[in-house]
Amino acid sequence: MIIYTHDDCLKKFNGNNHPERKERLESILSSIKSSNLKVEFKEAPLAELEIVSLVHPKKHIEQIFSYIPKEGIVGVENEPYADTMLCPDSKNAILRSCGAGIAAAKISWVKNERIFCAVRPPGHHAETIRANGFCFINNVAVAARYLQKQYEINKIAIIDFDVHHGNGTQEIFYKDQSVAYGSSHEFPLFPGTGAENETGVGNIFNATLKAGTSSKEFIAIFDQKVLKAIDKFKPEVILISAGFDAHKSDPLANIYLESDDFFKITKNIVDIANTHSNGRVISFLEGGYDLQALSESIIEHLNALKPHV
Ligand SMILES: [Zn+2]
């Protein structure tokens, strides 16, 4: 199995005590390296602005880059959510995170592979012209648009099990029947979107979870409200916004998944991909802020993604 990552993704610094920190990616990578998973690490290329502009106007991205400070850190949002930060090394981290998905899209489509993008910053909160929630470019959305443009793919599904709603992904595809977006998320919680009556053009499937939701309840709701809809949609490729912050140990949310639940959830997604999508799945790291939970959950996720021969 291929994993795209890059050292540049470790250089993004959001300030002391910020939950989105390089140690997240370090613990994921060291956990993979010390596991018995057979993986091939590839260097994520820098995304070309031409391809990023399939989702975000070039001007908007250039404006974000223009805020990058020579030293220290600056926020791109106003209070109370002034936690989407830029540091001097941000540009390449942002472009590598997006480039990983573009490179993965090519290989996955041509070779029917399943690929994981171990990158940061994450992407699912980034809207067309608004960076927020630690996200600047919507990595999963750019990969989807790239696949559609390059390979004339009609139907792509994005499944998002991060504990936060992917407001950016929903906004980008809200009126687009060619992309189905299914998300499970604690509600109410940041970013505040993702009510179940937000259905787009029949392509948006939001499953809201009450604080305190258990493993068992999560699996049932996810199956009923997300997976059934995606199965019916019959996608040609499945992209995953893989956030691990619905774990019981996560400091930013209140859902009680165990590490091995991420095996079950991923396996159920892979089953749909095997039925409709030639097994193609590309997974993108989104959230997950407890290092121990992250390093365990990622192995469960990859064990379910790996090819079974
Ligand atoms: Zn999250």
Side-chain angles (χ1 to χ4, degrees):
M1 187 171 44
I2 294 168
I3 296 183
Y4 275 98
T5 190
H6 200 283
D7 282 351
D8 285 348
C9 293
L10 298 170
K11 292 180 186 157
K12 188 164 187 301
F13 178 64
N14 294 320
N16 293 322
N17 303 319
H18 195 291
E20 207 295 281
R21 55 203 166 119
K22 71 175 167 67
E23 287 82 359
R24 300 176 57 238
L25 185 52
E26 283 173 344
S27 66
I28 282 176
L29 295 174
S30 81
S31 169
I32 296 170
K33 284 172 189 161
S34 59
S35 75
N36 53 13
L37 280 161
K38 286 199 180 73
V39 300
E40 180 189 352
F41 286 99
K42 282 183 181 274
E43 295 227 315
L46 296 166
E48 294 165 38
L49 272 191
E50 261 338 289
I51 297 175
V52 177
S53 72
L54 296 172
V55 170
H56 306 282
K58 261 190 207 166
K59 264 193 174 162
H60 168 64
I61 299 301
E62 282 162 359
Q63 190 177 34
I64 289 174
F65 291 154
S66 76
Y67 298 148
I68 291 175
K70 289 210 166 57
E71 55 184 63
I73 54 171
V74 297
V76 297
E77 289 179 291
N78 297 323
E79 298 289 344
Y81 294 124
D83 52 6
T84 305
M85 315 303 292
L86 290 164
C87 71
D89 289 319
S90 290
K91 185 175 178 179
N92 282 1
I94 292 168
L95 291 176
R96 298 273 182 207
S97 292
C98 183
I102 297 166
K106 290 181 198 172
I107 295 184
S108 179
W109 183 255
V110 175
K111 297 188 177 172
N112 297 337
E113 294 237 18
R114 288 197 281 275
I115 299 172
F116 181 65
C117 299
V119 292
R120 60 184 284 276
H124 72 154
H125 294 304
E127 298 176 8
T128 308
I129 51 166
R130 179 179 165 237
N132 76 106
F134 321 155
C135 304
F136 302 87
I137 291 176
N138 195 312
N139 305 320
V140 74
V142 172
R145 284 273 185 255
Y146 174 77
L147 279 164
Q148 289 188 315
K149 184 165 188 285
Q150 196 68 14
Y151 304 108
E152 296 177 357
I153 300 169
N154 290 315
K155 292 201 285 185
I156 296 180
I158 300 174
I159 300 179
D160 185 335
F161 58 71
D162 188 281
V163 82
H164 302 97
H165 182 240
N167 55 305
T169 313
Q170 173 168 301
E171 182 260 345
I172 290 161
F173 298 110
Y174 204 68
K175 293 179 181 162
D176 185 345
Q177 279 178 330
S178 67
V179 176
Y181 176 63
S183 172
S184 56
H185 42 274
E186 186 175 329
F187 189 86
L189 189 70
F190 177 86
T193 51
E196 294 191 1
N197 63 4
E198 294 167 19
T199 55
V201 286
N203 64 322
I204 305 289
F205 307 98
N206 284 314
T208 56
L209 308 164
K210 286 193 204 79
T213 297
S214 68
S215 283
K216 211 175 145 195
E217 291 166 322
F218 183 107
I219 300 280
I221 293 169
F222 191 71
D223 182 59
Q224 203 59 35
K225 295 190 174 167
V226 175
L227 294 180
K228 279 207 167 62
I230 299 300
D231 188 42
K232 221 168 142 190
F233 180 73
K234 299 186 171 65
E236 291 161 79
V237 189
I238 297 180
L239 309 181
I240 304 179
S241 270
F244 299 92
D245 38 10
H247 193 283
K248 65 180 181 185
S249 306
D250 198 90
L252 297 196
N254 313 285
I255 304 298
Y256 293 109
L257 291 188
E258 308 280 343
S259 300
D260 62 2
D261 288 322
F262 291 99
F263 180 88
K264 296 175 205 155
I265 293 165
T266 308
K267 179 70 173 55
N268 291 339
I269 296 172
V270 167
D271 286 345
I272 297 177
N274 285 337
T275 305
H276 302 295
S277 332
N278 275 343
R280 297 181 197 105
V281 178
I282 306 169
S283 176
F284 297 73
L285 179 65
E286 299 283 1
Y289 303 96
D290 179 82
L291 300 184
Q292 181 64 29
L294 254 184
S295 55
E296 289 171 15
S297 303
I298 198 72
I299 299 301
E300 300 288 344
H301 180 57
L302 295 180
N303 264 317
L305 275 186
K306 77 180 179 191
H308 290 88
V309 282

